[in-house]
Amino acid sequence: MAKCIMTVDDSVSVRQMVSFTLKNAGYDVVEASDGKDALGKLNGSGVNMIITDLNMPNLDGIGLIRAVRSNDAYKFVPIVMLTTESQDSKKQEGKSAGATGWIVKPFKPEQLLGVIKKVLG
Amino acid sequence: MNHIADAQSEVYKEEARELLTVLEDSLLQLERSPDDKELVGQIFRALHTIKGSGSMFGFDRIAAFTHEVETTFDLVRNSEIPVSKALIDHTLQAKDYIKLLLEEPTTDEAPCEQDLKTLIGSFNKLVSGHKETMTQNPPTNTSTTITSAQGASSSNAPAGLLTYRIRFCPASDIFLTGTNPLFLLDELQELGECRAVAQTNALSSLEEMNPELCYVAWDIVLTTDKGIEAIRDVFIFVEDTAAIHIEKVDSPGDGAAEEGYKKVGEILVERGDVKAEELKEALGEQKRIGDILIDKGIVTRDKIASALAEQEQVKEVREKKAKEEAASSIRVAAAKLDKLVDLVGELVTVQAHLSQKANSQADPELVLISEEVERLTGELRDNTMSIRMVPIGSTFGRFSRLVRDLSKELGKEIEMATEGAETELDKTVIERLNDPLVHLIRNSIDHGIEPPDVRESLGKTRKGLIQLTARHAGAQVHIEITDDGAGLDSARIREKAIEKGLISHDAEITEKELFGLIFAPGFSTAEKVSNVSGRGVGMDVVKRTIDALRGHIEVESEQGMGTTITLKLPLTLAIIDGLLVEVDKDYYVLPLSSVEECIELDHSKKTRQQDGRFVNLRGHLVPYVRLREQFGVKGDIPDVEQIVVTGSEGNKIGFVVDQVIGEHQTVIKTLSRVYKDVDSVSGATILGDGTVALILDISKLSQVGRCEGNA
């Protein structure tokens, strides 16, 4: 069965690009527009991995990571954060919240798939 | 693909327009209430998204420019620059400029370059003005080229084949970040020849263990030409939390070759696992160094294992290099090799005889000699076999031309990929494999892969893929031919099979068995006979050839997704590992590769099931064949018989014998033509005492068994 990846981003275009790349690579994709939406869609969805932006309204990426990590069912799910922040602080904050890895925007589809392979096998 | 990209950039433009409107509104509101943090955040997010997605969809100029503005607003957000009239003016101008870029993204020259420069200049002034006042502030990143973590390896010049030792001790809570360390090891494996030894000494007892924590560390030896940066890249996500040591060990040809290999002790000292004095002291005792160190409790067994792995790997890499250097080879006539193999076969037989004799004489001196001969014979046998082994790559190479020509002829776009070209197989096997492979590939191209237009309408890529994979699996080699075409149509196969009288109307058979029918003589579901395939001769020939090679064929297929045909072949035709069994003082050999287990058939506990020729094996009914009846053997049946359970083509079937004797190196002798009609025996072998044992053909015997079982 295809692995299911959730992409969380408030930008429709980024979400589309990510989801297009993932679908082409044979993954199932669930889209969410922000952290709150993501948490709502998470339960029972059987998501194997989450790719999330950091800057989002309602609930930002860091908050989402914390919430996911405290959910027993998704405690060990790999989470990759998308970030344009070149500053380390956001990245560190994300990591200490429990992110598995990160990918710096802008990225090419191959890079995205490379990172997914790294954390999802 | 292209129109999708276009549609994507339309989505981006649409979104960017909306964001720009939000940006303008927020800016105007901010002018009225400059202390509103929420508004600043909103502006920052809008800029951030415009920049981030801009660069992803090829709007590089927008991304570069927006980055400048974003940098400024980052400072505003952190309250390092105050919200001023000038800031809002400039940002509004910037917004207009972004809009301009958005609508005319195709022009080569940046529009209104002069305006751009002044704008950037004024933003820089805002930022630098702030910097002068707050010098302790960390410098902001003014370059838009952010090197992503993933790209670093490519820029690093390959350094030639080098061997590294890597010690990877993940933090115990590594799983809590969703990281699976095994994937990292897999990734290392892709970089080159890699050996990983798990260090499990931190593992506590089962009761104390917390399954959510990681107790294992790994010592890895890797030989790669990708350079150390590529290795660091693998660990990039865990480098802060895990302890990772990467060290260069050895580069072949650095003069070390003359000094011989590093001793295990030296490696351990280099790694800092053992102190030099401790090593010296330990060396005073005449024992293997590893054992001594373990006995003394200086290092754990895992550490020694990992040092040994390093030694081994370095040795191998050097040998490989030496092999390449000494690529001189001698051409030998194949017939001479065959003769050699025959002779080795004879020798193995004689040696078996000798061993038996020596053991029955109870003469320790003779036993010693016989054991020595046994060891040498074993080595000689392995070496001789390896001489006959050739990589399958050359055969694979021939097919790419076939695929190219055929796909052109049929108007299809097909790509062929191969994997495991270095897998070695007996020369005779490879030669005889050529025709079946050609046939299977032709079939995949003709029936499997759809024409490009059809593929496109199904949402697949225009180009079809045929993948040839070869790999070792125990004493077998598996060759897979995979296509991503239409897959087998089980309904059509069923229809056809009924039409051809292969199965009855109401036959209940599994999908696997159904797919197996395509190998029946005269079977073809193609409606039109093409130049390439469809006449229904061929698949049965394929099956026959593979059977003759003592191999199996398995078919897996998913409609619409593609088909995988797996050929399972023995490594060699001359000698196999067999299980020697006895039925009324006659000996038989079953190929060990198909044997799954041996169970007892106890006649004192007769049950109803046993009359029905089925035995209950852990809840599954397994049919069995009595070799006694099969071969018409008279004589007394022992109270307890043995059932050898074999797995052939996915089905389990048992063979009832009097006694299981044990493993036997079986030199296969073909039977003379007189016996060519004998179905259930595929050859014979000579045992140590000179008696002949027949080698049973399990798949043929299974068919007999199944027919009886159904009757």
Side-chain angles (χ1 to χ4, degrees):
Chain A
M1 212 188 84
K3 294 230 167 104
C4 182
I5 301 177
M6 178 183 269
T7 161
V8 191
D9 205 308
D10 53 336
S11 148
V12 184
S13 61
V14 173
R15 232 159 54 211
Q16 280 208 354
M17 188 256 190
V18 170
S19 117
F20 177 71
T21 308
L22 296 184
K23 280 180 184 156
N24 255 4
Y27 296 103
D28 287 338
V29 183
V30 177
E31 291 185 24
S33 61
D34 58 50
K36 220 169 161 183
D37 188 26
L39 286 178
K41 286 179 179 165
L42 196 60
N43 279 332
S45 62
V47 163
N48 302 102
M49 176 182 172
I50 298 171
I51 299 174
T52 177
D53 195 19
L54 288 181
N55 274 301
M56 289 181 297
N58 298 327
L59 179 64
D60 70 356
I62 307 283
L64 172 65
I65 295 172
R66 287 210 182 96
V68 172
R69 285 283 175 252
S70 59
N71 179 338
D72 267 347
Y74 293 94
K75 201 155 150 186
F76 300 119
V77 163
I79 305 177
V80 167
M81 37 188 180
L82 296 182
T83 167
T84 46
E85 326 269 334
S86 42
Q87 292 101 322
D88 249 10
S89 62
K90 255 279 152 51
K91 207 162 78 183
Q92 287 306 340
E93 205 182 325
K95 275 166 87 176
S96 51
T100 314
W102 62 90
I103 179 161
V104 181
K105 287 198 272 188
F107 54 84
K108 299 206 174 63
E110 307 86 73
Q111 292 174 326
L112 177 64
L113 294 176
V115 170
I116 291 174
K117 187 147 180 277
K118 198 193 230 359
V119 299
L120 200 55
Chain B
M1 191 81 188
N2 229 341
H3 63 273
I4 296 167
D6 279 353
Q8 292 263 320
S9 63
E10 257 329 298
V11 174
Y12 169 69
K13 279 193 198 171
E14 194 55 47
E15 186 181 65
R17 280 184 208 117
E18 276 170 32
L19 284 169
L20 287 172
T21 322
V22 171
L23 184 63
E24 192 168 51
D25 289 350
S26 315
L27 278 169
L28 294 174
Q29 280 180 47
L30 188 66
E31 194 164 24
R32 286 195 295 274
S33 47
D35 294 328
D36 193 336
K37 281 267 150 219
E38 191 53 39
L39 279 174
V40 176
Q42 209 166 337
I43 292 166
F44 180 79
R45 270 206 302 278
L47 286 166
H48 175 83
T49 310
I50 292 172
K51 168 187 130 184
S53 3
S55 59
M56 260 188 278
F57 295 101
F59 296 85
D60 294 338
R61 210 175 283 129
I62 296 186
F65 174 69
T66 314
H67 177 79
E68 303 288 332
V69 189
E70 187 198 353
T71 309
T72 315
F73 261 87
D74 193 30
L75 295 173
V76 178
R77 194 171 59 152
N78 298 339
S79 312
E80 287 168 19
I81 299 182
V83 177
S84 62
K85 175 108 179 36
L87 176 81
I88 289 175
D89 280 351
H90 290 323
T91 314
L92 280 172
Q93 277 173 33
K95 181 239 136 193
D96 293 339
Y97 187 71
I98 294 171
K99 179 118 184 159
L100 188 74
L101 287 175
L102 190 64
E103 303 307 333
E104 297 175 46
T106 45
T107 41
D108 285 337
E109 287 292 304
C112 325
E113 205 161 343
Q114 207 46 51
D115 293 0
L116 173 68
K117 278 198 184 130
T118 30
L119 250 177
I120 293 184
S122 36
F123 273 110
N124 282 345
K125 216 185 278 165
L126 276 173
V127 174
S128 58
H130 138 80
K131 263 193 203 145
E132 275 158 27
T133 54
M134 304 179 81
T135 38
Q136 79 277 23
N137 196 51
T140 50
N141 193 347
T142 47
S143 141
T144 43
T145 40
I146 303 157
T147 32
S148 65
Q150 298 74 36
S153 58
S154 57
S155 61
N156 224 284
L161 270 188
L162 289 175
T163 303
Y164 299 90
R165 77 167 70 104
I166 303 157
R167 181 160 286 177
F168 170 43
C169 313
S172 60
D173 59 353
I174 183 169
F175 298 133
L176 295 171
T177 63
T179 308
N180 184 339
L182 293 183
F183 295 149
L184 301 178
L185 297 184
D186 285 349
E187 216 180 322
L188 281 180
Q189 207 101 37
E190 281 170 24
L191 291 177
E193 174 120 17
C194 178
R195 263 165 227 242
V197 178
Q199 305 289 320
T200 51
N201 42 307
L203 215 55
S204 55
S205 65
L206 202 55
E207 304 90 74
E208 290 163 26
M209 206 179 96
N210 178 352
E212 296 190 353
L213 296 181
C214 176
Y215 294 94
V216 186
W218 284 271
D219 272 358
I220 302 140
V221 184
L222 172 71
T223 306
T224 179
D225 57 358
K226 302 282 196 314
I228 198 160
E229 283 307 314
I231 302 175
R232 288 198 195 286
D233 263 7
V234 170
F235 294 108
I236 185 145
F237 291 154
V238 292
E239 62 186 3
D240 302 354
T241 50
I244 298 156
H245 299 285
I246 306 175
E247 255 180 296
K248 199 177 86 177
V249 182
D250 176 61
S251 56
D254 60 359
E258 287 94 58
E259 299 163 21
Y261 305 107
K262 278 188 194 127
K263 305 279 192 303
V264 174
E266 288 173 331
I267 295 176
L268 285 168
V269 172
E270 259 185 52
R271 289 171 170 221
D273 288 339
V274 176
K275 288 198 202 75
E277 311 82 80
E278 285 170 345
L279 177 68
K280 225 177 230 166
E281 193 186 319
L283 279 173
E285 300 173 32
Q286 285 299 320
K287 247 205 240 173
R288 292 242 305 264
I289 177 69
D291 296 337
I292 302 168
L293 290 171
I294 295 166
D295 289 349
K296 288 193 175 285
I298 297 169
V299 286
T300 59
R301 192 165 287 280
D302 292 335
K303 291 248 160 54
I304 298 282
S306 111
L308 280 171
E310 176 179 327
Q311 199 182 33
E312 188 89 341
Q313 172 127 351
V314 169
K315 215 185 269 182
E316 254 173 41
V317 170
R318 286 222 193 118
E319 271 166 15
K320 218 180 199 167
K321 191 156 156 72
K323 227 191 252 169
E324 277 162 23
E325 280 168 359
S328 68
S329 57
I330 313 172
R331 276 174 177 273
V332 182
K336 282 190 184 171
L337 272 186
D338 292 347
K339 181 75 188 159
L340 183 64
V341 171
D342 279 353
L343 284 173
V344 170
E346 301 280 343
L347 190 61
V348 170
T349 313
V350 173
Q351 176 263 315
H353 197 167
L354 177 65
S355 300
Q356 205 170 40
K357 195 78 190 163
N359 287 330
S360 65
Q361 299 259 323
D363 176 349
E365 212 170 325
L366 187 59
V367 169
L368 205 68
I369 297 172
S370 124
E371 277 173 358
E372 194 80 339
V373 173
E374 186 172 345
R375 187 178 60 77
L376 284 171
T377 318
E379 258 177 58
L380 184 62
R381 185 197 63 220
D382 291 347
N383 262 306
T384 316
M385 288 304 150
S386 76
I387 294 177
R388 287 167 58 94
M389 297 289 189
V390 284
I392 200 165
S394 55
T395 311
F396 277 5
R398 243 178 286 162
F399 295 136
S400 53
R401 180 65 196 272
L402 173 83
V403 169
R404 188 189 156 275
D405 289 357
L406 259 184
S407 50
K408 208 164 156 198
E409 193 180 314
L410 296 167
K412 297 181 180 182
E413 291 174 24
I414 298 170
E415 200 177 320
M416 191 182 90
T418 61
E419 206 183 303
E422 72 288 346
T423 310
E424 289 190 327
L425 254 173
D426 193 284
K427 197 174 122 286
T428 355
V429 179
I430 289 203
E431 276 163 10
R432 283 159 75 181
L433 211 54
N434 192 45
D435 288 349
L437 279 177
V438 167
H439 202 90
L440 291 172
I441 292 173
R442 275 168 176 252
N443 255 311
S444 285
I445 298 175
D446 198 24
H447 304 315
I449 307 235
E450 310 91 332
D453 296 339
V454 177
R455 289 182 66 86
E456 213 158 49
S457 68
L458 291 170
K460 296 187 188 179
T461 49
R462 277 181 76 83
K463 249 194 182 153
L465 179 74
I466 290 185
Q467 166 103 28
L468 289 179
T469 313
R471 65 187 143 82
H472 284 290
Q476 284 188 321
V477 167
H478 292 185
I479 300 175
E480 287 175 13
I481 301 117
T482 309
D483 67 62
D484 63 347
L488 292 175
D489 184 343
S490 45
R492 270 241 315 277
I493 294 174
R494 198 187 168 88
E495 234 168 71
K496 197 82 178 183
I498 293 170
E499 187 188 307
K500 298 262 174 195
L502 293 170
I503 53 171
S504 60
H505 275 277
D506 47 358
E508 274 180 40
I509 58 175
T510 64
E511 197 165 59
K512 207 164 191 168
E513 286 170 314
L514 198 61
F515 290 157
L517 291 175
I518 63 171
F519 296 108
F523 189 93
S524 170
T525 61
E527 272 136 31
K528 255 194 306 187
V529 172
S530 78
N531 202 351
V532 183
S533 51
R535 284 200 191 83
V537 289
M539 281 310 236
D540 61 319
V541 179
V542 169
K543 169 92 170 138
R544 229 179 296 144
T545 317
I546 302 299
D547 280 349
L549 291 170
R550 288 170 216 285
H552 301 303
I553 306 185
E554 272 174 26
V555 185
E556 266 174 70
S557 182
E558 199 176 329
Q559 205 160 355
M561 301 300 286
T563 309
T564 300
I565 296 181
T566 310
L567 308 180
K568 297 186 174 172
L569 297 160
L571 271 177
T572 167
L573 295 178
I575 298 183
I576 57 166
D577 278 326
L579 185 72
L580 192 63
V581 299
E582 187 194 330
V583 179
D584 195 33
K585 301 198 183 62
D586 274 336
Y587 296 102
Y588 300 91
V589 173
L590 295 153
L592 197 61
S593 56
S594 353
V595 173
E596 292 188 348
E597 61 186 308
C598 299
I599 51 174
E600 278 183 3
L601 181 62
D602 194 341
H603 291 287
S604 56
K605 296 184 262 175
K606 229 179 172 73
T607 63
R608 201 172 50 81
Q609 266 169 359
Q610 280 169 357
D611 300 328
R613 293 180 182 281
F614 283 98
V615 63
N616 188 340
L617 183 65
R618 293 184 291 273
H620 292 279
L621 283 184
V622 175
Y624 59 80
V625 176
R626 293 178 156 275
L627 290 184
R628 223 165 231 286
E629 288 168 22
Q630 193 64 36
F631 297 129
V633 179
K634 308 236 161 38
D636 299 331
I637 301 174
D639 287 343
V640 179
E641 289 179 289
Q642 304 284 331
I643 304 179
V644 180
V645 180
T646 63
S648 145
E649 285 154 32
N651 292 304
K652 280 192 178 165
I653 187 157
F655 295 97
V656 181
V657 301
D658 288 1
Q659 212 186 333
V660 174
I661 295 176
E663 262 184 63
H664 183 255
Q665 281 289 334
T666 311
V667 180
I668 301 174
K669 303 276 178 194
T670 40
L671 294 174
S672 84
R673 295 177 62 82
V674 179
Y675 303 104
K676 71 176 172 11
D677 292 331
V678 178
D679 249 0
S680 42
V681 173
S682 64
T685 186
I686 301 165
L687 302 180
D689 60 358
T691 34
V692 171
L694 294 176
I695 302 167
L696 301 178
D697 185 334
I698 289 184
S699 65
K700 291 276 165 53
L701 273 172
S702 307
Q703 277 163 18
V704 175
R706 224 166 289 146
C707 293
E708 283 178 2
N710 289 343

